[in-house]
Amino acid sequence: MASLYYCRSSLLVNLVSWIFDMQQRLLTWFEVTAQVRQQGEFESLHRDMMVGFGTWEFDPMDLENPFPNNEGSVHLWHGDDDGVVPVMLQRYISQQLPWIHYHEIPGAGHMFPFANGMTYKIMRALLNAENNLS
C-alpha cells in the first residue's frame, strides 16, 4: 500500500524546476551530481527504479517497534515542500507506525538536512529524546 505514495522518479538532480527555492540555494554549495551518478546515469536511474518499483522481501508497514521497552526511539523528519518524496507518504507511515516520532518541517524541501542549523536541531531533538527515555 505504501508504495502507491512513492514518487515515480527520484533522479531529479538536473530537474531544477522541481526543486524549490531552498534546495536550489543548498545545491549551490552541496554538489551531489557526481555522487549520484558516480556509476553512470543509467545505473543510477536503474537502482532508483529497483527501489521504487521492485518487490521488497518485507512490507515496511509490518515493521515492529525496534525499542519495545523504550530503550531508544525512531525519528522521521520530512519537509512539507519536498518535491522528490511526497509528504503524504511520510504522514501515512507515521500514522501506520505510531512508534515513529514524526517531525514535519514547514516550508522545507528535500534538501532541508543541509540547511544552516538543521543538523543542530535534529541532534538536539535526538539527544532530548534520549534523555527523556530514562
Side-chain angles (χ1 to χ4, degrees):
M1 175 65 166
S3 63
L4 298 175
Y5 293 100
Y6 285 110
C7 185
R8 295 297 181 216
S9 176
S10 64
L11 190 64
L12 299 176
V13 174
N14 285 331
L15 299 177
V16 178
S17 63
W18 279 48
I19 301 176
F20 297 92
D21 291 340
M22 188 171 101
Q23 289 95 289
Q24 288 174 318
R25 287 191 303 270
L26 292 169
L27 284 174
T28 60
W29 65 268
F30 183 72
E31 180 58 48
V32 295
T33 304
Q35 292 174 340
V36 169
R37 297 183 176 166
Q38 64 186 347
Q39 294 185 359
E41 217 168 299
F42 173 77
E43 182 64 24
S44 180
L45 182 58
H46 176 73
R47 289 181 185 198
D48 284 354
M49 294 301 162
M50 285 175 47
V51 170
F53 301 110
T55 302
W56 294 11
E57 295 176 10
F58 66 97
D59 184 346
M61 295 300 102
D62 292 336
L63 290 174
E64 294 180 8
N65 184 350
F67 306 109
N69 299 318
N70 291 327
E71 65 272 20
S73 60
V74 177
H75 292 255
L76 173 63
W77 278 266
H78 196 88
D80 68 356
D81 280 344
D82 193 326
V84 179
V85 179
V87 70
M88 63 187 216
L89 172 62
Q90 308 309 345
R91 290 174 183 162
Y92 176 79
I93 290 171
S94 66
Q95 289 169 357
Q96 298 301 308
L97 304 175
W99 45 269
I100 292 179
H101 301 276
Y102 179 61
H103 308 269
E104 190 169 298
I105 297 119
H110 193 69
M111 301 296 287
F112 80 87
F114 303 104
N116 189 23
M118 186 52 73
T119 303
Y120 173 76
K121 291 177 183 177
I122 291 172
M123 292 302 294
R124 188 174 61 199
L126 291 173
L127 289 172
N128 285 337
E130 185 176 292
N131 290 336
N132 292 331
L133 293 174
S134 51

